[in-house]
Amino acid sequence: NTHKNQDRISIDNFAIMITAIATTVNNYLNKDDRVNAVVPDAFLCPVTHRLMEHPYMTMAGQTYEWEAIHNWVHAEGKRTDPLSRQELQNSTLIPNHALRSQIQEWIQNHPKAAAEVRNLEARKPSPAYSSAASVSIDTTQRTTRDGKGLESALKFKSSSKALKHSKTLSLHHQISAEGHVYDFKEGKTNTGKWCRFVRCDGGNWMQAPKPMLFASKHGVIFYDPNEMIDTMSLTDYGVELCKFQNNCTNKACSFAHPFPCKFGVKCRDKSTCKFVHPSQDSVQPLAKTGPCSKPCRYSVSCTRKDCAHAHPIGRVKIQRKVIQLFYTHSLELKELTNKKPMTIDLLGQKTIRATKMQFQGDYVFFFTPYPGPWAKEHYKSVEMCQYSVSKGRHVLAGQWELQNHYINCAIGGGKYMIISFWPYEDEAMRAIWEAMRVQRGMEKDNQKLEKKIQALETKNAKAR
């Protein structure tokens, strides 16, 4: 009975601790709602005056709730912007993903205040709109330098993985470059999967590896204009890593395997093994006493320089390298046996300051974030390289940044380039990052306590 009472007291204490932690987390998440939270004007639709659930922009740059602006433009047939009264050149509506993310974050931080102004009955965009209007570049850029408007440089295409189509939204377009005409279309493969097809000069259709292509006198490279690429990578652009890493047992696997061999220096098939092997100098044998009496739990993948544990099969650190882009096809869309490397300023160095890059055909953008792990996705500056026909490579054209702002988006086409800046406060971003880190830690502690309570309850039940 004494043991039973002690177990019951322990369970009660754990229950009190969990209740206290849950209360602390709940107070932290709702602390902003104890203050009179004011809804930012940018989050409210100018037509409905309610919090926007599906913010969409007109070609005039104003953002509205999708249902409201869709009815204005299509149902009522009006051709002016409701707020600015500016005449709209067309009825295209563009999803404002950045604003929607900020609204959703504000709703999570201010649930009580948001409940009073949310428009939960707002109609969702139709598939033609929900999968469309992702900004991409028309690669006829070298033929659009005649001073035409931005509509000659920008197009809006579907970014849906399923490539669902609408009669009102055509993704078929044509690219003219280096004396060739490239046609695109969408269709199904033999397996029934939707994909994009391309052909050159009216020839046979082939499946496009990526949505767009860039053609120069050196060849053709396929790319996704919306893809953010790591500038330092284990492989070159377009080479996919095996998802099983060093656990892959398929000898015919076509993916890349730049991972340490889990057998280390004791691997019996080093000549045919597709993994990276450590050197004999990296071996740290087991000792009878001290830290070296236990093998390192990270084994061959350990990267800590001063690791005191044993490494009986050695260890190796896989070095990342500056990514390299290659021309993969000829101008006639025949796959090249020996791929030609692209020459892009900034990528010809051993190290690079930018952490991300975006290839958009004639334009290549390099993004450098603010310092600190909390700001790795908030870019302080952008460098742009533009393709030079005379030099046959992408040359550095300039660098841009705005004090106390981060770069939200950068696109280019023809002789036009657009960079979007949003306000940035380092202390605020760091506070949010720290709060989220603390919250994750509290959630882990909660889970550990719950497991202990379950173990005690099981023990108590057996004792009975």
Side-chain angles (χ1 to χ4, degrees), residues 287-304:
K288 294 183 179 179
T289 59
C292 279
S293 62
K294 294 181 179 180
C296 176
R297 62 176 177 172
Y298 297 107
S299 189
V300 290
S301 301
C302 178
T303 58
R304 183 175 178 179

Side-chain angles (χ1 to χ4, degrees), residues 178-402:
E178 299 295 332
H180 295 276
V181 178
Y182 302 95
D183 298 304
F184 285 88
K185 74 172 184 177
E186 281 68 40
K188 287 184 178 181
T189 61
N190 295 332
T191 59
K193 184 179 179 180
W194 279 100
C195 69
R196 209 155 197 225
F197 293 89
V198 62
R199 67 179 180 181
C200 176
D201 298 329
N204 296 327
W205 291 100
M206 64 166 279
Q207 185 175 340
K210 290 185 179 289
M212 301 291 285
L213 69 78
F214 170 76
S216 74
K217 61 182 180 181
H218 305 291
V220 168
I221 179 174
F222 289 89
Y223 68 95
D224 183 350
N226 300 311
E227 181 182 7
M228 294 295 285
I229 307 168
D230 291 324
T231 55
M232 300 292 292
S233 177
L234 296 174
T235 61
D236 294 317
Y237 179 68
V239 179
E240 295 187 38
L241 296 174
C242 178
K243 64 179 180 180
F244 299 106
Q245 299 188 7
N246 59 356
N247 293 316
C248 179
T249 58
N250 183 4
K251 294 183 179 180
C253 183
S254 59
F255 297 101
H257 300 82
F259 309 109
C261 176
K262 59 184 179 181
F263 300 107
V265 295
K266 295 183 179 180
C267 179
R268 298 179 180 178
D269 302 313
K270 291 183 180 179
S271 58
T272 58
C273 183
K274 55 193 173 187
F275 301 111
V276 181
H277 297 86
S279 64
Q280 195 67 36
D281 297 336
S282 66
V283 175
Q284 180 64 44
L286 286 166
K288 294 183 179 179
T289 59
C292 279
S293 62
K294 294 181 179 180
C296 176
R297 62 176 177 172
Y298 297 107
S299 189
V300 290
S301 301
C302 178
T303 58
R304 183 175 178 179
K305 293 181 180 180
D306 57 347
C307 182
H309 295 286
H311 296 88
I313 59 174
R315 56 176 175 162
V316 59
K317 182 179 180 181
I318 308 299
Q319 297 289 343
R320 292 179 178 270
K321 59 181 181 180
V322 178
I323 195 169
Q324 179 68 63
L325 277 67
F326 292 88
Y327 291 104
T328 57
H329 293 73
S330 67
L331 291 174
E332 293 78 21
L333 297 184
K334 295 180 179 179
E335 189 170 0
L336 299 176
T337 305
N338 298 319
K339 297 177 175 58
K340 300 178 182 178
M342 296 188 72
T343 306
I344 303 176
D345 289 359
L346 299 182
L347 289 186
Q349 308 169 9
K350 291 184 178 180
T351 59
I352 185 170
R353 191 166 59 99
T355 59
K356 294 284 186 178
M357 63 174 284
Q358 204 170 27
F359 185 84
Q360 297 181 6
D362 267 8
Y363 288 78
V364 186
F365 295 96
F366 294 87
F367 302 93
T368 303
Y370 279 92
W374 53 87
K376 62 182 180 180
E377 294 182 358
H378 291 77
Y379 306 109
K380 180 180 180 181
S381 64
V382 59
E383 296 172 281
M384 185 270 286
C385 293
Q386 188 176 18
Y387 185 77
S388 171
V389 178
S390 58
K391 296 181 179 180
R393 62 186 178 91
H394 288 79
V395 298
L396 182 62
Q399 176 182 342
W400 295 267
E401 63 179 85
L402 186 61

